[in-house]
Amino acid sequence: ACPRSGPFRAGELALAVLRRKHNTTLKLLCRLAAEAVLSSPGGVLPHRDIIGQLPGQVLLASGGARLLLRRPSLDEYVLLMPRGPTIAYPKDISAMLMMMDIHPGDTVLESGSGSGAMSLFLSRAVGPKGRVLSYEIRDDHHSLAKKNYRHWRSAWEIGHMDEWPDNVEFILKDISTAAADMKSVTLDAVVLDMLNPQCALPVVHPSLKQGGVCAVYLANITQVIELLDRIRSCKLPFLCERIIEVTHRSWSVLPA
Ligand SMILES: C[S@@+](CC[C@H](N)C(=O)[O-])C[C@H]1O[C@@H](n2cnc3c(N)ncnc32)[C@H](O)[C@@H]1O
């Protein structure tokens, strides 16, 4: 059997997809346990009816709802996992991973860890030979990011033949005070998703390899201008190459 081909096992994550009106879907995430039940608007489904089944099948809930059961993708997991601060959205993370041109084996710094969504995508992108240094100033966010990461990793290992890499170091520290940590690393890329990302630039730039990319995730144009102003006024050795907004347009195709 190849990875991801086996039946559901207790302890792994399952995603139930329920089709609703107007071509919309409801997605429910659960961690399978023999005694538990999955509750949906269309009735309940005992986990023991899912365990042992191959993913990709439709099972009937007690109220007659048809639930498609499969393993969640990473973007589905991060959208459904417990959240503290707002996550970087998977559509934006994909664009940032491309902008940073991250490869297996790379060392990447992120700040802040937040809920851990970006950390998980970075972990996958750099792979078992790579390393992610994830800084977070708040204790509660640091703990949540670690928990979400651990949860995904441990569930992954039950449902797949390969291990999820243990390559993220979650560091509880204000990035602006981390200059000493930077002396011992060379960073292939940096990603900042935090208030005042400009305060991190003087700290990370000595360790960022020549020509390396620092991707900054910002919510509005005022923040973009503040960042560019700081780079210019402090003569920081960064060049702004691109400012993009990522939009996704869904199509509804209804053959006659
Ligand atoms: C929007 S969240 C990051 C979300 C994260 N990218 C994700 O995908 O889940 C911003 C985080 O940056 C943290 N933060 C703010 N200033 C920081 C600093 N100076 N050093 C480290 N973390 C900081 C905040 O506490 C917060 O958890």
Side-chain angles (χ1 to χ4, degrees), residues 88 92 96 192-198 215-228 240 243-245:
D92 301 322
M96 286 190 282
L192 303 175
D193 177 11
M194 55 184 273
L195 273 182
N196 291 322
Q198 42 275 28
V216 187
Y217 192 48
L218 294 167
N220 59 56
I221 197 67
T222 310
Q223 290 175 310
V224 175
I225 292 166
E226 283 168 5
L227 177 68
L228 296 179
C240 176
I243 301 167
I244 62 164
E245 177 183 350

mmCIF file with all atom_site columns, all heavy atoms in Angstrom, residues 88 92 96 192-198 215-228 240 243-245:
data_model
loop_
_atom_site.group_PDB
_atom_site.id
_atom_site.type_symbol
_atom_site.label_atom_id
_atom_site.label_alt_id
_atom_site.label_comp_id
_atom_site.label_asym_id
_atom_site.label_entity_id
_atom_site.label_seq_id
_atom_site.pdbx_PDB_ins_code
_atom_site.Cartn_x
_atom_site.Cartn_y
_atom_site.Cartn_z
_atom_site.occupancy
_atom_site.B_iso_or_equiv
_atom_site.pdbx_formal_charge
_atom_site.auth_seq_id
_atom_site.auth_comp_id
_atom_site.auth_asym_id
_atom_site.auth_atom_id
_atom_site.pdbx_PDB_model_num
ATOM 1   N N   . ALA A 1 88  ? -2.996 33.436 8.669  1.00 0.00 ? 88  ALA A N   1
ATOM 2   C CA  . ALA A 1 88  ? -2.711 33.789 7.278  1.00 0.00 ? 88  ALA A CA  1
ATOM 3   C C   . ALA A 1 88  ? -3.508 32.783 6.453  1.00 0.00 ? 88  ALA A C   1
ATOM 4   O O   . ALA A 1 88  ? -3.447 31.579 6.718  1.00 0.00 ? 88  ALA A O   1
ATOM 5   C CB  . ALA A 1 88  ? -1.222 33.665 7.006  1.00 0.00 ? 88  ALA A CB  1
ATOM 6   N N   . ASP A 1 92  ? -3.209 32.953 0.526  1.00 0.00 ? 92  ASP A N   1
ATOM 7   C CA  . ASP A 1 92  ? -2.120 33.937 0.652  1.00 0.00 ? 92  ASP A CA  1
ATOM 8   C C   . ASP A 1 92  ? -0.803 33.242 0.993  1.00 0.00 ? 92  ASP A C   1
ATOM 9   O O   . ASP A 1 92  ? 0.267  33.644 0.536  1.00 0.00 ? 92  ASP A O   1
ATOM 10  C CB  . ASP A 1 92  ? -2.467 34.970 1.728  1.00 0.00 ? 92  ASP A CB  1
ATOM 11  C CG  . ASP A 1 92  ? -3.760 35.710 1.404  1.00 0.00 ? 92  ASP A CG  1
ATOM 12  O OD1 . ASP A 1 92  ? -3.982 36.007 0.217  1.00 0.00 ? 92  ASP A OD1 1
ATOM 13  O OD2 . ASP A 1 92  ? -4.555 35.980 2.329  1.00 0.00 ? 92  ASP A OD2 1
ATOM 14  N N   . MET A 1 96  ? 2.828  33.458 -0.801 1.00 0.00 ? 96  MET A N   1
ATOM 15  C CA  . MET A 1 96  ? 4.049  33.852 -0.077 1.00 0.00 ? 96  MET A CA  1
ATOM 16  C C   . MET A 1 96  ? 5.130  32.779 -0.188 1.00 0.00 ? 96  MET A C   1
ATOM 17  O O   . MET A 1 96  ? 6.318  33.093 -0.315 1.00 0.00 ? 96  MET A O   1
ATOM 18  C CB  . MET A 1 96  ? 3.716  34.161 1.384  1.00 0.00 ? 96  MET A CB  1
ATOM 19  C CG  . MET A 1 96  ? 2.990  35.488 1.519  1.00 0.00 ? 96  MET A CG  1
ATOM 20  S SD  . MET A 1 96  ? 2.843  36.023 3.232  1.00 0.00 ? 96  MET A SD  1
ATOM 21  C CE  . MET A 1 96  ? 1.503  35.006 3.761  1.00 0.00 ? 96  MET A CE  1
ATOM 22  N N   . LEU A 1 192 ? 6.969  37.628 7.805  1.00 0.00 ? 192 LEU A N   1
ATOM 23  C CA  . LEU A 1 192 ? 6.472  38.402 8.945  1.00 0.00 ? 192 LEU A CA  1
ATOM 24  C C   . LEU A 1 192 ? 4.963  38.578 8.822  1.00 0.00 ? 192 LEU A C   1
ATOM 25  O O   . LEU A 1 192 ? 4.468  39.041 7.788  1.00 0.00 ? 192 LEU A O   1
ATOM 26  C CB  . LEU A 1 192 ? 7.154  39.773 8.986  1.00 0.00 ? 192 LEU A CB  1
ATOM 27  C CG  . LEU A 1 192 ? 8.690  39.753 9.063  1.00 0.00 ? 192 LEU A CG  1
ATOM 28  C CD1 . LEU A 1 192 ? 9.250  41.169 8.980  1.00 0.00 ? 192 LEU A CD1 1
ATOM 29  C CD2 . LEU A 1 192 ? 9.167  39.063 10.345 1.00 0.00 ? 192 LEU A CD2 1
ATOM 30  N N   . ASP A 1 193 ? 4.256  38.169 9.874  1.00 0.00 ? 193 ASP A N   1
ATOM 31  C CA  . ASP A 1 193 ? 2.813  38.391 9.957  1.00 0.00 ? 193 ASP A CA  1
ATOM 32  C C   . ASP A 1 193 ? 2.556  38.857 11.380 1.00 0.00 ? 193 ASP A C   1
ATOM 33  O O   . ASP A 1 193 ? 2.305  38.055 12.281 1.00 0.00 ? 193 ASP A O   1
ATOM 34  C CB  . ASP A 1 193 ? 2.062  37.086 9.644  1.00 0.00 ? 193 ASP A CB  1
ATOM 35  C CG  . ASP A 1 193 ? 0.547  37.245 9.797  1.00 0.00 ? 193 ASP A CG  1
ATOM 36  O OD1 . ASP A 1 193 ? 0.075  38.389 9.928  1.00 0.00 ? 193 ASP A OD1 1
ATOM 37  O OD2 . ASP A 1 193 ? -0.162 36.211 9.779  1.00 0.00 ? 193 ASP A OD2 1
ATOM 38  N N   . MET A 1 194 ? 2.704  40.147 11.612 1.00 0.00 ? 194 MET A N   1
ATOM 39  C CA  . MET A 1 194 ? 2.621  40.723 12.958 1.00 0.00 ? 194 MET A CA  1
ATOM 40  C C   . MET A 1 194 ? 2.425  42.228 12.832 1.00 0.00 ? 194 MET A C   1
ATOM 41  O O   . MET A 1 194 ? 2.694  42.802 11.779 1.00 0.00 ? 194 MET A O   1
ATOM 42  C CB  . MET A 1 194 ? 3.929  40.447 13.718 1.00 0.00 ? 194 MET A CB  1
ATOM 43  C CG  . MET A 1 194 ? 5.163  40.936 12.964 1.00 0.00 ? 194 MET A CG  1
ATOM 44  S SD  . MET A 1 194 ? 6.735  40.550 13.747 1.00 0.00 ? 194 MET A SD  1
ATOM 45  C CE  . MET A 1 194 ? 6.904  41.965 14.830 1.00 0.00 ? 194 MET A CE  1
ATOM 46  N N   . LEU A 1 195 ? 1.964  42.830 13.932 1.00 0.00 ? 195 LEU A N   1
ATOM 47  C CA  . LEU A 1 195 ? 1.868  44.290 13.956 1.00 0.00 ? 195 LEU A CA  1
ATOM 48  C C   . LEU A 1 195 ? 3.284  44.854 13.914 1.00 0.00 ? 195 LEU A C   1
ATOM 49  O O   . LEU A 1 195 ? 4.199  44.258 14.482 1.00 0.00 ? 195 LEU A O   1
ATOM 50  C CB  . LEU A 1 195 ? 1.190  44.739 15.251 1.00 0.00 ? 195 LEU A CB  1
ATOM 51  C CG  . LEU A 1 195 ? -0.338 44.801 15.245 1.00 0.00 ? 195 LEU A CG  1
ATOM 52  C CD1 . LEU A 1 195 ? -0.824 45.318 16.590 1.00 0.00 ? 195 LEU A CD1 1
ATOM 53  C CD2 . LEU A 1 195 ? -0.876 45.660 14.109 1.00 0.00 ? 195 LEU A CD2 1
ATOM 54  N N   . ASN A 1 196 ? 3.470  45.968 13.302 1.00 0.00 ? 196 ASN A N   1
ATOM 55  C CA  . ASN A 1 196 ? 4.786  46.612 13.207 1.00 0.00 ? 196 ASN A CA  1
ATOM 56  C C   . ASN A 1 196 ? 5.895  45.686 12.717 1.00 0.00 ? 196 ASN A C   1
ATOM 57  O O   . ASN A 1 196 ? 6.912  45.525 13.398 1.00 0.00 ? 196 ASN A O   1
ATOM 58  C CB  . ASN A 1 196 ? 5.211  47.190 14.564 1.00 0.00 ? 196 ASN A CB  1
ATOM 59  C CG  . ASN A 1 196 ? 4.351  48.362 14.938 1.00 0.00 ? 196 ASN A CG  1
ATOM 60  O OD1 . ASN A 1 196 ? 3.984  49.166 14.074 1.00 0.00 ? 196 ASN A OD1 1
ATOM 61  N ND2 . ASN A 1 196 ? 4.002  48.449 16.207 1.00 0.00 ? 196 ASN A ND2 1
ATOM 62  N N   . PRO A 1 197 ? 5.722  45.066 11.575 1.00 0.00 ? 197 PRO A N   1
ATOM 63  C CA  . PRO A 1 197 ? 6.784  44.163 11.092 1.00 0.00 ? 197 PRO A CA  1
ATOM 64  C C   . PRO A 1 197 ? 8.099  44.906 10.889 1.00 0.00 ? 197 PRO A C   1
ATOM 65  O O   . PRO A 1 197 ? 9.172  44.302 10.916 1.00 0.00 ? 197 PRO A O   1
ATOM 66  C CB  . PRO A 1 197 ? 6.224  43.638 9.763  1.00 0.00 ? 197 PRO A CB  1
ATOM 67  C CG  . PRO A 1 197 ? 5.202  44.637 9.346  1.00 0.00 ? 197 PRO A CG  1
ATOM 68  C CD  . PRO A 1 197 ? 4.631  45.206 10.604 1.00 0.00 ? 197 PRO A CD  1
ATOM 69  N N   . GLN A 1 198 ? 8.012  46.248 10.738 1.00 0.00 ? 198 GLN A N   1
ATOM 70  C CA  . GLN A 1 198 ? 9.243  47.027 10.521 1.00 0.00 ? 198 GLN A CA  1
ATOM 71  C C   . GLN A 1 198 ? 10.230 46.875 11.678 1.00 0.00 ? 198 GLN A C   1
ATOM 72  O O   . GLN A 1 198 ? 11.434 46.963 11.478 1.00 0.00 ? 198 GLN A O   1
ATOM 73  C CB  . GLN A 1 198 ? 8.952  48.514 10.230 1.00 0.00 ? 198 GLN A CB  1
ATOM 74  C CG  . GLN A 1 198 ? 7.896  49.192 11.053 1.00 0.00 ? 198 GLN A CG  1
ATOM 75  C CD  . GLN A 1 198 ? 6.473  48.992 10.521 1.00 0.00 ? 198 GLN A CD  1
ATOM 76  O OE1 . GLN A 1 198 ? 6.193  47.993 9.885  1.00 0.00 ? 198 GLN A OE1 1
ATOM 77  N NE2 . GLN A 1 198 ? 5.591  49.927 10.797 1.00 0.00 ? 198 GLN A NE2 1
ATOM 78  N N   . ALA A 1 215 ? 9.013  38.048 3.114  1.00 0.00 ? 215 ALA A N   1
ATOM 79  C CA  . ALA A 1 215 ? 7.611  38.280 2.732  1.00 0.00 ? 215 ALA A CA  1
ATOM 80  C C   . ALA A 1 215 ? 6.875  38.836 3.943  1.00 0.00 ? 215 ALA A C   1
ATOM 81  O O   . ALA A 1 215 ? 7.017  38.319 5.054  1.00 0.00 ? 215 ALA A O   1
ATOM 82  C CB  . ALA A 1 215 ? 6.967  36.975 2.277  1.00 0.00 ? 215 ALA A CB  1
ATOM 83  N N   . VAL A 1 216 ? 6.109  39.896 3.731  1.00 0.00 ? 216 VAL A N   1
ATOM 84  C CA  . VAL A 1 216 ? 5.383  40.531 4.843  1.00 0.00 ? 216 VAL A CA  1
ATOM 85  C C   . VAL A 1 216 ? 3.892  40.505 4.519  1.00 0.00 ? 216 VAL A C   1
ATOM 86  O O   . VAL A 1 216 ? 3.479  40.921 3.428  1.00 0.00 ? 216 VAL A O   1
ATOM 87  C CB  . VAL A 1 216 ? 5.865  41.989 5.047  1.00 0.00 ? 216 VAL A CB  1
ATOM 88  C CG1 . VAL A 1 216 ? 5.229  42.580 6.297  1.00 0.00 ? 216 VAL A CG1 1
ATOM 89  C CG2 . VAL A 1 216 ? 7.385  42.050 5.158  1.00 0.00 ? 216 VAL A CG2 1
ATOM 90  N N   . TYR A 1 217 ? 3.110  39.995 5.464  1.00 0.00 ? 217 TYR A N   1
ATOM 91  C CA  . TYR A 1 217 ? 1.661  39.848 5.270  1.00 0.00 ? 217 TYR A CA  1
ATOM 92  C C   . TYR A 1 217 ? 0.978  41.016 5.966  1.00 0.00 ? 217 TYR A C   1
ATOM 93  O O   . TYR A 1 217 ? 1.057  41.139 7.194  1.00 0.00 ? 217 TYR A O   1
ATOM 94  C CB  . TYR A 1 217 ? 1.243  38.528 5.910  1.00 0.00 ? 217 TYR A CB  1
ATOM 95  C CG  . TYR A 1 217 ? -0.144 38.022 5.588  1.00 0.00 ? 217 TYR A CG  1
ATOM 96  C CD1 . TYR A 1 217 ? -0.617 37.968 4.280  1.00 0.00 ? 217 TYR A CD1 1
ATOM 97  C CD2 . TYR A 1 217 ? -0.975 37.543 6.602  1.00 0.00 ? 217 TYR A CD2 1
ATOM 98  C CE1 . TYR A 1 217 ? -1.873 37.455 3.995  1.00 0.00 ? 217 TYR A CE1 1
ATOM 99  C CE2 . TYR A 1 217 ? -2.236 37.022 6.322  1.00 0.00 ? 217 TYR A CE2 1
ATOM 100 C CZ  . TYR A 1 217 ? -2.674 36.982 5.017  1.00 0.00 ? 217 TYR A CZ  1
ATOM 101 O OH  . TYR A 1 217 ? -3.922 36.466 4.733  1.00 0.00 ? 217 TYR A OH  1
ATOM 102 N N   . LEU A 1 218 ? 0.337  41.879 5.202  1.00 0.00 ? 218 LEU A N   1
ATOM 103 C CA  . LEU A 1 218 ? -0.254 43.087 5.775  1.00 0.00 ? 218 LEU A CA  1
ATOM 104 C C   . LEU A 1 218 ? -1.731 43.184 5.416  1.00 0.00 ? 218 LEU A C   1
ATOM 105 O O   . LEU A 1 218 ? -2.148 42.776 4.328  1.00 0.00 ? 218 LEU A O   1
ATOM 106 C CB  . LEU A 1 218 ? 0.492  44.322 5.255  1.00 0.00 ? 218 LEU A CB  1
ATOM 107 C CG  . LEU A 1 218 ? 1.955  44.421 5.718  1.00 0.00 ? 218 LEU A CG  1
ATOM 108 C CD1 . LEU A 1 218 ? 2.698  45.471 4.921  1.00 0.00 ? 218 LEU A CD1 1
ATOM 109 C CD2 . LEU A 1 218 ? 2.036  44.707 7.204  1.00 0.00 ? 218 LEU A CD2 1
ATOM 110 N N   . ALA A 1 219 ? -2.491 43.776 6.353  1.00 0.00 ? 219 ALA A N   1
ATOM 111 C CA  . ALA A 1 219 ? -3.942 43.794 6.182  1.00 0.00 ? 219 ALA A CA  1
ATOM 112 C C   . ALA A 1 219 ? -4.429 45.009 5.405  1.00 0.00 ? 219 ALA A C   1
ATOM 113 O O   . ALA A 1 219 ? -5.510 44.978 4.819  1.00 0.00 ? 219 ALA A O   1
ATOM 114 C CB  . ALA A 1 219 ? -4.609 43.760 7.554  1.00 0.00 ? 219 ALA A CB  1
ATOM 115 N N   . ASN A 1 220 ? -3.656 46.091 5.392  1.00 0.00 ? 220 ASN A N   1
ATOM 116 C CA  . ASN A 1 220 ? -4.160 47.282 4.700  1.00 0.00 ? 220 ASN A CA  1
ATOM 117 C C   . ASN A 1 220 ? -3.010 48.135 4.155  1.00 0.00 ? 220 ASN A C   1
ATOM 118 O O   . ASN A 1 220 ? -1.849 47.951 4.527  1.00 0.00 ? 220 ASN A O   1
ATOM 119 C CB  . ASN A 1 220 ? -5.076 48.112 5.616  1.00 0.00 ? 220 ASN A CB  1
ATOM 120 C CG  . ASN A 1 220 ? -4.348 48.560 6.866  1.00 0.00 ? 220 ASN A CG  1
ATOM 121 O OD1 . ASN A 1 220 ? -3.307 49.211 6.781  1.00 0.00 ? 220 ASN A OD1 1
ATOM 122 N ND2 . ASN A 1 220 ? -4.873 48.196 8.020  1.00 0.00 ? 220 ASN A ND2 1
ATOM 123 N N   . ILE A 1 221 ? -3.377 49.093 3.313  1.00 0.00 ? 221 ILE A N   1
ATOM 124 C CA  . ILE A 1 221 ? -2.369 49.870 2.591  1.00 0.00 ? 221 ILE A CA  1
ATOM 125 C C   . ILE A 1 221 ? -1.623 50.826 3.527  1.00 0.00 ? 221 ILE A C   1
ATOM 126 O O   . ILE A 1 221 ? -0.455 51.152 3.297  1.00 0.00 ? 221 ILE A O   1
ATOM 127 C CB  . ILE A 1 221 ? -3.009 50.603 1.378  1.00 0.00 ? 221 ILE A CB  1
ATOM 128 C CG1 . ILE A 1 221 ? -1.931 51.070 0.392  1.00 0.00 ? 221 ILE A CG1 1
ATOM 129 C CG2 . ILE A 1 221 ? -3.903 51.742 1.797  1.00 0.00 ? 221 ILE A CG2 1
ATOM 130 C CD1 . ILE A 1 221 ? -1.206 49.959 -0.304 1.00 0.00 ? 221 ILE A CD1 1
ATOM 131 N N   . THR A 1 222 ? -2.268 51.241 4.622  1.00 0.00 ? 222 THR A N   1
ATOM 132 C CA  . THR A 1 222 ? -1.583 52.114 5.597  1.00 0.00 ? 222 THR A CA  1
ATOM 133 C C   . THR A 1 222 ? -0.359 51.387 6.155  1.00 0.00 ? 222 THR A C   1
ATOM 134 O O   . THR A 1 222 ? 0.725  51.970 6.293  1.00 0.00 ? 222 THR A O   1
ATOM 135 C CB  . THR A 1 222 ? -2.549 52.477 6.753  1.00 0.00 ? 222 THR A CB  1
ATOM 136 O OG1 . THR A 1 222 ? -3.756 52.947 6.178  1.00 0.00 ? 222 THR A OG1 1
ATOM 137 C CG2 . THR A 1 222 ? -1.962 53.526 7.669  1.00 0.00 ? 222 THR A CG2 1
ATOM 138 N N   . GLN A 1 223 ? -0.544 50.104 6.450  1.00 0.00 ? 223 GLN A N   1
ATOM 139 C CA  . GLN A 1 223 ? 0.584  49.324 6.990  1.00 0.00 ? 223 GLN A CA  1
ATOM 140 C C   . GLN A 1 223 ? 1.687  49.154 5.945  1.00 0.00 ? 223 GLN A C   1
ATOM 141 O O   . GLN A 1 223 ? 2.867  49.148 6.283  1.00 0.00 ? 223 GLN A O   1
ATOM 142 C CB  . GLN A 1 223 ? 0.088  47.951 7.453  1.00 0.00 ? 223 GLN A CB  1
ATOM 143 C CG  . GLN A 1 223 ? -0.791 48.027 8.688  1.00 0.00 ? 223 GLN A CG  1
ATOM 144 C CD  . GLN A 1 223 ? -1.362 46.666 9.048  1.00 0.00 ? 223 GLN A CD  1
ATOM 145 O OE1 . GLN A 1 223 ? -1.921 45.974 8.208  1.00 0.00 ? 223 GLN A OE1 1
ATOM 146 N NE2 . GLN A 1 223 ? -1.223 46.283 10.293 1.00 0.00 ? 223 GLN A NE2 1
ATOM 147 N N   . VAL A 1 224 ? 1.283  49.034 4.691  1.00 0.00 ? 224 VAL A N   1
ATOM 148 C CA  . VAL A 1 224 ? 2.288  48.906 3.615  1.00 0.00 ? 224 VAL A CA  1
ATOM 149 C C   . VAL A 1 224 ? 3.131  50.180 3.565  1.00 0.00 ? 224 VAL A C   1
ATOM 150 O O   . VAL A 1 224 ? 4.369  50.135 3.502  1.00 0.00 ? 224 VAL A O   1
ATOM 151 C CB  . VAL A 1 224 ? 1.604  48.660 2.244  1.00 0.00 ? 224 VAL A CB  1
ATOM 152 C CG1 . VAL A 1 224 ? 2.640  48.663 1.119  1.00 0.00 ? 224 VAL A CG1 1
ATOM 153 C CG2 . VAL A 1 224 ? 0.816  47.364 2.247  1.00 0.00 ? 224 VAL A CG2 1
ATOM 154 N N   . ILE A 1 225 ? 2.453  51.334 3.655  1.00 0.00 ? 225 ILE A N   1
ATOM 155 C CA  . ILE A 1 225 ? 3.161  52.620 3.561  1.00 0.00 ? 225 ILE A CA  1
ATOM 156 C C   . ILE A 1 225 ? 4.098  52.801 4.761  1.00 0.00 ? 225 ILE A C   1
ATOM 157 O O   . ILE A 1 225 ? 5.248  53.224 4.611  1.00 0.00 ? 225 ILE A O   1
ATOM 158 C CB  . ILE A 1 225 ? 2.139  53.779 3.432  1.00 0.00 ? 225 ILE A CB  1
ATOM 159 C CG1 . ILE A 1 225 ? 1.451  53.661 2.068  1.00 0.00 ? 225 ILE A CG1 1
ATOM 160 C CG2 . ILE A 1 225 ? 2.806  55.144 3.593  1.00 0.00 ? 225 ILE A CG2 1
ATOM 161 C CD1 . ILE A 1 225 ? 0.207  54.501 1.915  1.00 0.00 ? 225 ILE A CD1 1
ATOM 162 N N   . GLU A 1 226 ? 3.625  52.420 5.957  1.00 0.00 ? 226 GLU A N   1
ATOM 163 C CA  . GLU A 1 226 ? 4.485  52.541 7.151  1.00 0.00 ? 226 GLU A CA  1
ATOM 164 C C   . GLU A 1 226 ? 5.750  51.696 7.001  1.00 0.00 ? 226 GLU A C   1
ATOM 165 O O   . GLU A 1 226 ? 6.847  52.118 7.363  1.00 0.00 ? 226 GLU A O   1
ATOM 166 C CB  . GLU A 1 226 ? 3.716  52.091 8.401  1.00 0.00 ? 226 GLU A CB  1
ATOM 167 C CG  . GLU A 1 226 ? 2.728  53.139 8.896  1.00 0.00 ? 226 GLU A CG  1
ATOM 168 C CD  . GLU A 1 226 ? 1.762  52.585 9.942  1.00 0.00 ? 226 GLU A CD  1
ATOM 169 O OE1 . GLU A 1 226 ? 1.902  51.410 10.356 1.00 0.00 ? 226 GLU A OE1 1
ATOM 170 O OE2 . GLU A 1 226 ? 0.856  53.335 10.323 1.00 0.00 ? 226 GLU A OE2 1
ATOM 171 N N   . LEU A 1 227 ? 5.558  50.510 6.450  1.00 0.00 ? 227 LEU A N   1
ATOM 172 C CA  . LEU A 1 227 ? 6.706  49.607 6.266  1.00 0.00 ? 227 LEU A CA  1
ATOM 173 C C   . LEU A 1 227 ? 7.707  50.202 5.272  1.00 0.00 ? 227 LEU A C   1
ATOM 174 O O   . LEU A 1 227 ? 8.916  50.252 5.523  1.00 0.00 ? 227 LEU A O   1
ATOM 175 C CB  . LEU A 1 227 ? 6.203  48.241 5.779  1.00 0.00 ? 227 LEU A CB  1
ATOM 176 C CG  . LEU A 1 227 ? 7.265  47.201 5.469  1.00 0.00 ? 227 LEU A CG  1
ATOM 177 C CD1 . LEU A 1 227 ? 7.979  46.749 6.738  1.00 0.00 ? 227 LEU A CD1 1
ATOM 178 C CD2 . LEU A 1 227 ? 6.644  45.977 4.782  1.00 0.00 ? 227 LEU A CD2 1
ATOM 179 N N   . LEU A 1 228 ? 7.184  50.693 4.147  1.00 0.00 ? 228 LEU A N   1
ATOM 180 C CA  . LEU A 1 228 ? 8.076  51.260 3.121  1.00 0.00 ? 228 LEU A CA  1
ATOM 181 C C   . LEU A 1 228 ? 8.784  52.506 3.646  1.00 0.00 ? 228 LEU A C   1
ATOM 182 O O   . LEU A 1 228 ? 9.968  52.727 3.374  1.00 0.00 ? 228 LEU A O   1
ATOM 183 C CB  . LEU A 1 228 ? 7.288  51.579 1.843  1.00 0.00 ? 228 LEU A CB  1
ATOM 184 C CG  . LEU A 1 228 ? 6.670  50.359 1.137  1.00 0.00 ? 228 LEU A CG  1
ATOM 185 C CD1 . LEU A 1 228 ? 5.893  50.784 -0.098 1.00 0.00 ? 228 LEU A CD1 1
ATOM 186 C CD2 . LEU A 1 228 ? 7.729  49.334 0.770  1.00 0.00 ? 228 LEU A CD2 1
ATOM 187 N N   . CYS A 1 240 ? 11.718 46.745 -2.038 1.00 0.00 ? 240 CYS A N   1
ATOM 188 C CA  . CYS A 1 240 ? 10.352 46.242 -2.198 1.00 0.00 ? 240 CYS A CA  1
ATOM 189 C C   . CYS A 1 240 ? 10.150 45.844 -3.658 1.00 0.00 ? 240 CYS A C   1
ATOM 190 O O   . CYS A 1 240 ? 10.141 46.693 -4.545 1.00 0.00 ? 240 CYS A O   1
ATOM 191 C CB  . CYS A 1 240 ? 9.337  47.305 -1.790 1.00 0.00 ? 240 CYS A CB  1
ATOM 192 S SG  . CYS A 1 240 ? 7.658  46.747 -2.099 1.00 0.00 ? 240 CYS A SG  1
ATOM 193 N N   . ILE A 1 243 ? 4.067  44.179 -4.430 1.00 0.00 ? 243 ILE A N   1
ATOM 194 C CA  . ILE A 1 243 ? 2.967  44.251 -3.463 1.00 0.00 ? 243 ILE A CA  1
ATOM 195 C C   . ILE A 1 243 ? 1.769  43.633 -4.183 1.00 0.00 ? 243 ILE A C   1
ATOM 196 O O   . ILE A 1 243 ? 1.358  44.136 -5.235 1.00 0.00 ? 243 ILE A O   1
ATOM 197 C CB  . ILE A 1 243 ? 2.659  45.709 -3.072 1.00 0.00 ? 243 ILE A CB  1
ATOM 198 C CG1 . ILE A 1 243 ? 3.914  46.355 -2.459 1.00 0.00 ? 243 ILE A CG1 1
ATOM 199 C CG2 . ILE A 1 243 ? 1.479  45.777 -2.103 1.00 0.00 ? 243 ILE A CG2 1
ATOM 200 C CD1 . ILE A 1 243 ? 3.829  47.854 -2.324 1.00 0.00 ? 243 ILE A CD1 1
ATOM 201 N N   . ILE A 1 244 ? 1.252  42.525 -3.642 1.00 0.00 ? 244 ILE A N   1
ATOM 202 C CA  . ILE A 1 244 ? 0.140  41.869 -4.346 1.00 0.00 ? 244 ILE A CA  1
ATOM 203 C C   . ILE A 1 244 ? -1.023 41.588 -3.404 1.00 0.00 ? 244 ILE A C   1
ATOM 204 O O   . ILE A 1 244 ? -0.850 41.470 -2.188 1.00 0.00 ? 244 ILE A O   1
ATOM 205 C CB  . ILE A 1 244 ? 0.559  40.536 -5.027 1.00 0.00 ? 244 ILE A CB  1
ATOM 206 C CG1 . ILE A 1 244 ? 1.032  39.506 -3.991 1.00 0.00 ? 244 ILE A CG1 1
ATOM 207 C CG2 . ILE A 1 244 ? 1.608  40.754 -6.092 1.00 0.00 ? 244 ILE A CG2 1
ATOM 208 C CD1 . ILE A 1 244 ? 1.077  38.093 -4.543 1.00 0.00 ? 244 ILE A CD1 1
ATOM 209 N N   . GLU A 1 245 ? -2.200 41.477 -4.004 1.00 0.00 ? 245 GLU A N   1
ATOM 210 C CA  . GLU A 1 245 ? -3.372 40.999 -3.285 1.00 0.00 ? 245 GLU A CA  1
ATOM 211 C C   . GLU A 1 245 ? -3.809 39.735 -4.004 1.00 0.00 ? 245 GLU A C   1
ATOM 212 O O   . GLU A 1 245 ? -3.849 39.707 -5.240 1.00 0.00 ? 245 GLU A O   1
ATOM 213 C CB  . GLU A 1 245 ? -4.486 42.053 -3.344 1.00 0.00 ? 245 GLU A CB  1
ATOM 214 C CG  . GLU A 1 245 ? -5.751 41.604 -2.673 1.00 0.00 ? 245 GLU A CG  1
ATOM 215 C CD  . GLU A 1 245 ? -6.880 42.620 -2.801 1.00 0.00 ? 245 GLU A CD  1
ATOM 216 O OE1 . GLU A 1 245 ? -6.630 43.755 -3.245 1.00 0.00 ? 245 GLU A OE1 1
ATOM 217 O OE2 . GLU A 1 245 ? -8.009 42.243 -2.471 1.00 0.00 ? 245 GLU A OE2 1
#
